[in-house]
Amino acid sequence: MSKAVVVFSGGQDSTTCLIQALNQYDEVHAVTFDYGQRHSEEIATAEKLAKQLKVASHKILDVTVLNELAISALTRDAIPVSNELMDNGLPNTFVPGRNILFLTLAGIYAYQLGAESVITGVCETDFSGYPDCRDSFIKAMQSALEQGMDRELKLVTPLMWLNKAQTWALADKYYSLELVRDQTLTCYNGIVGSGCGTCPACLLRAKGLNDYLDDKAGVMAELDAKC
């Protein structure tokens, strides 16, 4: 029996990955991390979707220690989300160490479940400049987890080389475009669906959807060529 653990935030990307995994694995488990993020709606959305999609189990882990250590617009309400880059060239929504921690804990969970894969929705094509979304980082994390636990474990990144239009096409391929469009939470201001329409996450999401709807056949062909 094939098993996978999906790192699941309830956003567009992780929900699309979860839907795909449910079509590819016999047993799919979701894990969501409460790190004291800017809006608790993210966790509530993930919980609702996990039940709706009928995953084998959904674990919500308290990792609020990250909030104490990592200063970011996503961990401090007093820091407004900005389109401006910080002095280090990164967006102020970058949470240092977040994916290192998430993938480590998801890897431990996969080990206990006997799952061969951990799936995460990180992407290097249409990403926000986060260094922990790069393919090189994922490969390094997989190597560290395999060596540290002395067991084969795949870190699967279905969206790594897809742009946002192609990610929408992937959701549509599994007949879930409306679910992802209307019920996921990507907005940095905690608004489900189309979101606030002004934060960087909403702008990227909306552009991708418009690009897909403008040329469904062409974008779907591009997706099929990559998958």
Side-chain angles (χ1 to χ4, degrees):
M1 173 183 286
S2 60
K3 296 182 184 181
V5 171
V6 177
V7 178
F8 184 54
S9 70
Q12 175 193 357
D13 293 343
S14 66
T15 303
T16 302
C17 288
L18 179 59
I19 290 166
Q20 183 186 52
L22 288 165
N23 284 272
Q24 294 181 335
Y25 293 83
D26 298 316
E27 188 175 298
V28 178
H29 301 261
V31 58
T32 299
F33 297 99
D34 178 358
Y35 62 96
Q37 51 265 64
R38 193 178 188 93
H39 44 78
S40 59
E41 290 87 352
E42 180 178 299
I43 298 167
T45 299
E47 193 167 21
K48 178 182 177 182
L49 286 169
K51 289 178 181 177
Q52 182 175 337
L53 293 169
K54 298 179 180 178
V55 298
S57 72
H58 180 215
K59 185 176 289 292
I60 300 172
L61 293 181
D62 183 342
V63 291
T64 47
V65 65
L66 182 61
N67 185 283
E68 297 178 27
L69 301 174
I71 298 175
S72 160
L74 297 189
T75 61
R76 299 291 187 276
D77 290 340
I79 302 176
V81 173
S82 172
N83 290 313
E84 302 288 331
L85 297 180
M86 297 186 294
D87 291 342
N88 60 6
L90 298 175
N92 76 344
T93 52
F94 172 61
V95 182
R98 180 173 59 174
N99 282 344
I100 297 172
L101 178 62
F102 288 4
L103 290 173
T104 299
L105 294 174
I108 295 169
Y109 189 38
Y111 182 98
Q112 296 300 331
L113 290 171
E116 65 266 29
S117 300
V118 169
I119 301 171
T120 177
V122 299
C123 170
E124 191 168 320
T125 303
D126 266 352
F127 76 140
S128 300
Y130 298 162
D132 59 358
C133 288
R134 295 178 297 190
D135 187 58
S136 58
F137 162 74
I138 294 296
K139 286 182 168 58
M141 276 299 301
Q142 176 171 316
S143 176
L145 288 168
E146 288 184 327
Q147 292 184 56
M149 296 192 291
D150 194 23
R151 173 177 176 245
E152 287 188 11
L153 179 69
K154 294 180 181 177
L155 295 187
V156 181
T157 54
L159 312 183
M160 180 59 73
W161 307 115
L162 304 186
N163 60 37
K164 268 292 179 284
Q166 292 160 356
T167 300
W168 283 111
L170 184 60
D172 205 7
K173 183 175 181 178
Y174 291 105
Y175 308 102
S176 300
L177 188 144
E178 289 186 3
L179 181 151
V180 174
R181 183 191 64 198
D182 298 335
Q183 298 185 47
T184 63
L185 196 164
T186 304
C187 176
Y188 288 147
N189 291 310
I191 302 172
V192 174
S194 298
C196 68
T198 59
C199 75
C202 284
L203 292 173
L204 183 62
R205 172 181 166 129
K207 182 181 182 303
L209 180 57
N210 289 335
D211 288 346
Y212 174 57
L213 294 178
D214 285 345
D215 183 18
K216 279 191 175 185
V219 176
M220 192 65 78
E222 293 170 355
L223 173 67
D224 290 341
K226 290 184 175 182
C227 297

